[in-house]
Amino acid sequence: MEDKLNICTPENLVYKKPGTLKIKQSHYCPGCGHGTVHKILMEVVEEMGIQGDIIGVCPVGCSVFAYDYLDVDMNEAAHGRALAVATGIRRVFPEKYVFTYQGDGDLAAIGTAETIHAANRGENIMTIFINNGIYGMTGGQMAPTTLLGMESTTSPYGRDVKTMGYPMEMANLLKDLKGVCYITRQSVHKPGNVRKLKKAIAKALEYQKQGLGFSLVEVVSNCPSNWKMTPLQANQFVEDKMIPYYPLGDIKTPEGK
Amino acid sequence: MEDKLNICTPENLVYKKPGTLKIKQSHYCPGCGHGTVHKILMEVVEEMGIQGDIIGVCPVGCSVFAYDYLDVDMNEAAHGRALAVATGIRRVFPEKYVFTYQGDGDLAAIGTAETIHAANRGENIMTIFINNGIYGMTGGQMAPTTLLGMESTTSPYGRDVKTMGYPMEMANLLKDLKGVCYITRQSVHKPGNVRKLKKAIAKALEYQKQGLGFSLVEVVSNCPSNWKMTPLQANQFVEDKMIPYYPLGDIKTPEGK
Amino acid sequence: MTQESIFAGFGGQGVLTAALIVAYAGMEEGKEVCWMPSYGPEMRGGTANAVCIVSDKKISSPIIASYDSVIALNQPSIDKFESKVKPGGHLFYDVANCISKPTRTDISIHAIPASEEVIKLNFIKGLNILMLGAFIKATNTVAIESIEKALKKVLPERYHDKIPLNMEAFYAGMKHV
Amino acid sequence: MTQESIFAGFGGQGVLTAALIVAYAGMEEGKEVCWMPSYGPEMRGGTANAVCIVSDKKISSPIIASYDSVIALNQPSIDKFESKVKPGGHLFYDVANCISKPTRTDISIHAIPASEEVIKLNFIKGLNILMLGAFIKATNTVAIESIEKALKKVLPERYHDKIPLNMEAFYAGMKHV
Amino acid sequence: MGELKLMKGNEALAEAMILAGADAYFGYPITPQSEVLEYLAEQKVFERTGMVVLQAESEVAAINMIYGAAGAGKRVVTTSSSPGYSLMQEGMSYITAAELPCVICNVVRGGPGLGTIQPSQADYFQATRGGGHGDYYTIVLAPSSVQEIVDFVKLGFELAEKYRNPVLILSDGAIGQMKEKVEFFEQMPRRTVFPDWATTGKIPGKPARVITTLNIESEKMEVLNLHLQEKYNTIREKESLYETYNMEDAEYVFTGFGLVGRICVKAMEMAREKGYKVGVIRPITLFPFPTKIYAEYAPKVKGILDVEMNAGQMVEDVRLSVNGATPVEFYGRMGGMIPAPDAILEHFEKYFITGGK
Amino acid sequence: MGELKLMKGNEALAEAMILAGADAYFGYPITPQSEVLEYLAEQKVFERTGMVVLQAESEVAAINMIYGAAGAGKRVVTTSSSPGYSLMQEGMSYITAAELPCVICNVVRGGPGLGTIQPSQADYFQATRGGGHGDYYTIVLAPSSVQEIVDFVKLGFELAEKYRNPVLILSDGAIGQMKEKVEFFEQMPRRTVFPDWATTGKIPGKPARVITTLNIESEKMEVLNLHLQEKYNTIREKESLYETYNMEDAEYVFTGFGLVGRICVKAMEMAREKGYKVGVIRPITLFPFPTKIYAEYAPKVKGILDVEMNAGQMVEDVRLSVNGATPVEFYGRMGGMIPAPDAILEHFEKYFITGGK
Amino acid sequence: MAKFKGQVVIDIENCKGCELCVATCPQETLSLSKTINKKGYRYAVVVNEDCNGCANCATMCPDYAITVYKKKFD
Amino acid sequence: MAKFKGQVVIDIENCKGCELCVATCPQETLSLSKTINKKGYRYAVVVNEDCNGCANCATMCPDYAITVYKKKFD
Ligand SMILES: Cc1ncc(C[n+]2csc(CCOP(=O)(O)OP(=O)(O)O)c2C)c(N)n1
Ligand SMILES: Cc1ncc(C[n+]2csc(CCOP(=O)(O)OP(=O)(O)O)c2C)c(N)n1
Ligand code: SF4
Ligand code: SF4
Ligand code: SF4
Ligand code: SF4
Ligand code: SF4
Ligand code: SF4
Ligand SMILES: [Mg+2]
Ligand SMILES: [Mg+2]
């Protein structure tokens, strides 16, 4: 017992919640990736010391409440319009860091035009794209990213390509746009991946600092509640089904892929 | 004189206005590509004998009046929504031919989401995409396709990539979507190209008949009035400036490019 | 006769289902019924409730400010709804889920050892049905047979083998009134 | 004094410019002015017109049903506006561009050989200015000097060398009233 | 008579579409009406009736898919909730100008903005004054029960096709989510013959059909507008619907639409118990607004209490109807709150009995 | 006083934005207002004042860019015309709920649908009743001359910032296209200090700022609504503007807003020439509507003729204002047609003199 | 060796004088008129007899104002 | 040879019992409690003393409920 107690001292601290997160329990379901991504994003903000220089935009989706957790200036956005809202901010505050945090329904369905044009204009913005293959907030409807055969409340017999089309690979769709400087796809289903995600976010903000343009950090995430799985099953599904279709890694870098 | 007169007889006829065009003088400016494309499209409809089986959608743009010329059932559409309107028709009339005829402002700006999702769903529709690098109808504002440095009423000092982004290559953007079966880029600035365009449109409708999915026939066209050029200068500009950036040819075919 | 009741508890405790069973049972008896759930965005661990009205005559307003009966499966629900029981009405609560007891004297308060009982029955999920049993015993809102019929309608096919077990819980609930 | 005039013709004949010159000239003289063009989508060869009001007092409505003067540069404009000239008002038209002559007797009609004159001057584009000359001569809406000042404002720098030529056309127009 | 079902308003709405022989549904998820699309998906409607269902990429796309399919002469329907319906306003203006029959349901939630997903009636102005541009009206039906939702889907298609005009069912989160007994009508066949204006493919020998809302010349555009206004006047004369309760001897009137209409009845019952002679007028069509019935009773009563789940919108139509003939007071709750019967009674006494305020 | 310029309404509008120290303009081309963006582009405004100008990919994007930049505390403005403004309705509802100051100008054209590009006033309902969802109002200014367009840009920003509410300038195709003499105000500096609610980047020691319109609990959402309604009432009391002409001895009133208000004055002059004692009331703010002035004169006059370029929209506010105290008749033209002074006079005589109808 | 002879008929009222046909004709058979048509446009006219019936002109015409005939002589 | 010893502190009221930490721990140091917290969740508890301070658990925790300490002993 003794030595256990006395190692809990500041000099031995190796991991703690970043100070850039507000003290409030999240509303997210147990095991939901949103919480992990929030934490990693705020770790980077803390380490870069840019808490006062960054402005975030969260559209409606489960993460619409991000402003309750991320301790930085935040703007909620209408469904799909995050990148228009962020463009408005970016254009009037060229010297700040600006990011959006969007779900797949938001970024890839209703927000398609805003996404593509912000990227094509090379808006100097970082977009964190939470791909959980579902509309979480509204109770599990099909998203553009829902896998073929995957069940959702609006594809109860599995996504049927004949009538519902193919799962959209946004990263791939955007990669040839010249305004885009960085596209990477990461995940949070294993510690190693979480650490890689952190590096990716840091890189994206670094590129933004250099004014290189639009960057997309896609996170292949989960939705235990609407996938009707336990968090562990959900992360297994990420590993077995999502990642094979949405392979991880850098898709475009300023250095050239 | 003699033999000249008597060669004007049906058996010697080699080219005439197709019967699928209404008898009405077009409102298009002298030398505008819209007229040529209308003619070619209707030649194909006449030759395939599908005048009664095809339904067209023309959104607002100079060609919003297409219904005054094309003698087939036509729906005008709100700006940017042609492919949503066409999807509505396509889904309730699976056995008909359905096409849209859209400008670059329409298809590539306000209509981006509708374009990408109709393509991704593989809607069995042919889209004729008139790329004249400008908003013609409204008097020559910048379009997503306007070339860098090109002047327009909203880029009077030339399109500046820093604030206005890059000319969008829609054909390239759409080519990896699995729902898309055929993408080709043609022009109407020379007789040979006009003839190639005709083959392309015939192909696209052939694929539609086979139910292969979405096809895009892009036409690199002109806008003498808003380019502030004579028709001949405009077609020279197409040759010298537009085509180098928007190279002609098939970009995707069902056979695989 | 009209019975305006509300079932309240944590999401997952099956309060919406319990209220729905009463509504179906009422319909079985040809009565007028109305079931109005609370609804919210996809969030776990919140509180849920459902109003159930059963009446012999046309139901005018499904929105009511006070209830004939309140069935509370957790403390927040007791706190929120005790004051909303009509004078002479009923308040049912699960002893194990209650920290501070209701105090009103102008209503009949039923402390049901529901959690305890369902553990005995080794049927944790039956908490809602057990409370339902107590409610029906005290109010006779609907007949027991109607409840049994309703269960068939409400429970998915694959759970129909569980109906006897549910009825056991139901009877156990009745015992405590 | 108030002068409500309309300049009408084919797009490209410069009717909007002619009306605008009058407006600027009126402003030069400290008068109240209003210029209202017809506008339409990007289409060539249509007809265009512009209303120009010059007045000593505040202009209430820029929308008027009849005019003191109509300056018509093509047949459609004569057909459309002859009936809209106020009794006692003026109608100016270009002889070469007129197939069927105006017939009203309660207004003064000015047949100007404008096309002919501008060909003489070898200044085809001066048609509008020439008609303007006739209009000013007959109505004295503004002073000639004001017109010259207005030309400087309306014509882009690069055409200022053409101002003398324009004035020549203007005077040529005056000759015919 | 068909068997009785216990069903959620939103599900009953979806079932009624199928039974009404709808050819297509295009919609986008939004709380509190996502059950509609979900129910249709679960029902395999294509196998049941050949109806097609598509989850659009957005509400803007959905309403334009409606425009396309309705223009092709098919029986089509969409649903949304407040923010989504706001995105459909350009489309509504087009559909109305092109005179395309269709049924839309807005399951209203509390605004403005993202607001709350709880029930509201704050979209009354948008529904009755045309939230889109131009002079147009959509026929608006306000159900107060799950049964009326079902009945109004059928009635909606009838009116839409009779007048070539969109019909809006103005529901709310509460009616959409609550379960009541409901009886359905028999399955109606899907259309097999189409109106001759519909773009179903050119018929040889006949002129090609054109669906358009464009009229460059104002003169022509005014003709279209005059035609529309004439149609709206006919609708005003012929189609206004309402329900009254105990108006025979009424000295005061409670009035409200949809769910609130029912709450008013309960409040009226409570008021009568206290001896106040209160009656209720519940408008069923919001456009056309049943102006006459108010004008008729206005001189006979001491006052009208208008109750809404908003800051006071229908009350303008009530005032326009009575034109000063009797005092009209308002009581409303906002942002997803629902006025309770006793609160209504309380405000009634405050305004008209103790004469407070 | 600054020099006089002869300028198009749309260009004057753009110049006024620059002079008012606007930080950003986001917009999308549409006739008859494209000159605004074109003028700003031609003027190299970034070099003049540091103002940024962006042609958005759509009106939906444009209004959300406004939401973002306004939320960041900047002075922002957009313009559009009817169909485009309809697409902005969801955004308007959000901006109003988030209480973001900004100025929007709708250069109205004839609807519904694609309609015509000629001038119209058919978007009055949309402008004054909130075309979007929820209980909200935008302050609406109706210019009748190029000079007023300029003045109202300045006034618009003042009111928007005073009340944290969007201000809509309701122009039309005619005012936008016509050239009149106009005098501009001095160049105002761009903002350098920002409101403390603005998301300009977290200030150490202070809580982070949040721009949101979401309130999951109805109770909270109702609080926001009550606050908004209170604000709207203050605006109703304090900010209503109008102009009257010859009302002192008036037996009849002509009333109309914007361009039509001026045409009414001309018609009034013609009527007076014929010996009719006519006055004119021209509302300048449409929200708040100048109810009092109508209520004040209603009992004193024999009737009011309301004239609009639509099928009769403002006339409802006039009737609500007079509340039956005097007959209110309506004359309107639609689809881009403009009522001429003599036609107004004619209808006046028909309704009130020869007592026809 | 076979020789082709062509002839074109121009609908001058629908011609807008864009000159695309003139420029594309391999035989320089076409030119623009001095006079204008009802719409005020100069229009295409035949200026020589060398037309070979290649139909390039008609193919290019945006106003479908040209009809082409062609006959083989041997 | 150096040996690392780690220790974790769990904020049990913020824990939602997702088990991600339990599953990722190389030392099987974590498990879920039998009892529930105020929110009604079973929560993570330390069940052995083998923690090596790798911080995998904390890295995975979506509710940032874990703090990790690590010390080198040699
Ligand atoms: C205009 C509009 N349409 C629809 C909605 C309903 N809605 C809210 S969030 C959402 C999608 C949520 O899915 P996603 O963006 O993937 O985020 P997630 O919850 O999965 O993280 C939808 C459809 C809305 N709020 N506004
Ligand atoms: C919602 C909406 N926004 C804007 C407009 C104005 N508008 C009409 S057509 C058009 C673009 C025309 O350009 P394009 O699509 O390239 O067609 P083109 O005329 O060049 O052939 C625009 C902006 C409109 N009618 N509706
Ligand atoms: S619904 Fe899905 S995405 Fe939303 S919080 Fe729950 S698990 Fe996460
Ligand atoms: S404006 Fe341009 S695109 Fe439109 S008709 Fe004229 S030339 Fe063609
Ligand atoms: S057919 Fe060929 S040769 Fe004859 S005129 Fe036309 S282009 Fe010239
Ligand atoms: S191409 Fe056609 S329109 Fe152009 S000049 Fe020749 S004939 Fe006339
Ligand atoms: S720090 Fe590593 S070893 Fe220690 S409990 Fe966490 S995961 Fe297990
Ligand atoms: S990961 Fe966090 S929330 Fe999940 S069980 Fe472990 S400590 Fe609890
Ligand atoms: Mg998602
Ligand atoms: Mg174009």
Side-chain angles (χ1 to χ4, degrees), chain C:
Chain C
M1 169 275 229
T2 298
Q3 174 64 231
E4 299 176 326
S5 57
I6 183 164
F7 292 70
F10 282 126
Q13 283 182 312
V15 290
L16 270 58
T17 313
L20 192 57
I21 290 167
V22 178
Y24 267 109
M27 198 167 84
E28 282 298 328
E29 300 177 1
K31 298 208 172 84
E32 295 299 322
V33 299
C34 179
W35 174 85
M36 169 88 72
S38 63
Y39 62 95
E42 213 57 34
M43 281 187 254
R44 299 289 160 276
T47 62
N49 67 65
V51 170
C52 175
I53 305 176
V54 178
S55 175
D56 310 325
K57 55 187 182 55
K58 193 158 183 302
I59 296 166
S60 51
S61 170
I63 305 302
I64 43 190
S66 57
Y67 309 92
D68 298 309
S69 304
V70 167
I71 301 87
L73 274 63
N74 66 1
Q75 186 62 49
S77 304
I78 299 172
D79 304 342
K80 186 166 177 199
F81 293 111
E82 177 180 4
S83 61
K84 299 212 164 71
V85 181
K86 293 179 195 167
H90 300 269
L91 170 59
F92 306 81
Y93 69 92
D94 171 26
V95 178
N97 273 293
C98 170
I99 295 130
S100 63
K101 291 200 175 58
T103 57
R104 277 178 63 179
T105 54
D106 60 335
I107 59 173
S108 32
I109 292 174
H110 310 268
I112 314 295
S115 300
E116 205 180 304
E117 289 280 358
V118 291
I119 289 163
K120 280 202 214 124
L121 293 168
N122 164 17
F123 179 41
I124 308 292
K125 293 218 137 305
L127 191 72
N128 57 343
I129 304 296
L130 195 135
M131 292 297 287
L132 179 58
F135 163 70
I136 294 300
K137 177 76 186 309
T139 62
N140 297 310
T141 304
V142 292
I144 301 173
E145 310 70 55
S146 314
I147 292 287
E148 206 155 356
K149 291 211 194 87
L151 276 169
K152 288 198 187 62
K153 288 240 167 102
V154 176
L155 297 183
E157 284 291 349
R158 64 184 183 288
Y159 291 135
H160 280 195
D161 56 330
K162 292 257 180 310
I163 290 177
L165 184 53
N166 277 282
M167 288 311 291
E168 250 186 85
F170 183 84
Y171 291 121
M174 293 182 73
K175 283 207 322 292
H176 290 280
V177 177

Side-chain angles (χ1 to χ4, degrees), chain E residues 330-349:
Chain E
F330 170 76
Y331 169 57
R333 296 299 301 271
M334 291 172 281
M337 299 300 286
I338 303 178
D342 38 13
I344 294 174
L345 183 55
E346 197 179 298
H347 283 76
F348 159 69
E349 289 178 315

Side-chain angles (χ1 to χ4, degrees), chain A residues 1 3-5 7-17 21-22 24-32 35-36 38-40 69 188-191 194-195 231-232 235, chain H residues 5-9 13-20 23-24 37 39 41 46 48-49 53-64 66-73:
Chain A
M1 277 327 225
D3 63 359
K4 223 193 294 164
L5 283 176
I7 90 163
C8 293
T9 50
E11 72 275 17
N12 297 334
L13 183 67
V14 289
Y15 201 105
K16 73 173 226 308
K17 163 178 185 289
L21 277 167
K22 295 180 182 174
K24 175 167 189 196
Q25 184 173 45
S26 87
H27 70 288
Y28 297 116
C29 308
C32 174
T36 316
H38 284 13
K39 180 182 62 179
I40 295 307
Y69 316 123
V188 289
H189 72 303
K190 290 181 176 173
V194 176
R195 297 184 179 110
L232 291 174
N235 282 355
Chain H
K5 180 123 198 49
Q7 187 170 348
V8 299
V9 178
E13 284 313 331
N14 278 320
C15 170
K16 293 185 186 141
C18 69
E19 266 185 299
L20 296 183
T24 197
N37 64 12
K39 284 265 174 194
Y41 295 114
V46 173
N48 68 29
E49 301 181 7
C54 70
N56 281 356
C57 54
T59 305
M60 286 301 290
C61 180
D63 290 279
Y64 19 92
I66 306 181
T67 311
V68 184
Y69 298 87
K70 182 177 185 177
K71 194 166 192 299
K72 189 173 174 201
F73 294 87

Side-chain angles (χ1 to χ4, degrees), chain B residues 53-183:
Chain B
D53 310 315
I54 190 163
I55 304 169
V57 179
C58 269
V60 60
C62 281
S63 51
V64 66
F65 295 99
Y67 53 67
D68 283 341
Y69 316 124
L70 314 184
D71 195 12
V72 298
D73 280 4
M74 294 288 298
N75 300 61
E76 164 233 76
H79 187 35
R81 316 309 171 193
L83 274 162
V85 171
T87 296
I89 298 168
R90 157 54 65 223
R91 292 291 175 124
V92 295
F93 278 122
E95 70 287 356
K96 303 279 182 189
Y97 291 88
V98 177
F99 73 93
T100 67
Y101 184 109
Q102 308 176 243
D104 40 17
D106 191 81
L107 181 138
I110 191 169
T112 306
E114 287 75 8
T115 304
I116 293 204
H117 284 275
N120 184 65
R121 285 190 305 262
E123 297 293 342
N124 198 27
I125 293 169
M126 169 180 74
T127 290
I128 293 182
F129 169 37
I130 306 298
N131 177 357
N132 58 5
I134 202 93
Y135 285 11
M137 175 80 155
T138 43
Q141 297 80 11
M142 181 182 72
T145 49
T146 299
L147 300 174
L148 290 182
M150 190 171 169
E151 289 174 17
S152 74
T153 59
T154 54
S155 60
Y157 307 103
R159 181 176 190 156
D160 171 12
V161 67
K162 284 197 311 302
T163 56
M164 306 167 185
Y166 292 88
M168 289 212 343
E169 298 163 77
M170 290 308 291
N172 191 40
L173 190 65
L174 295 175
K175 73 176 189 309
D176 292 342
L177 295 176
K178 299 195 189 68
V180 178
C181 79
Y182 180 50
I183 299 185

Side-chain angles (χ1 to χ4, degrees), chain A residues 93, chain F residues 21 23 73-75 189-195 200:
Chain A
F93 277 124
Chain F
D23 296 297
K74 296 283 186 164
R75 188 169 285 162
R190 286 176 49 234
R191 270 233 213 88
T192 49
V193 287
F194 304 105
T200 60

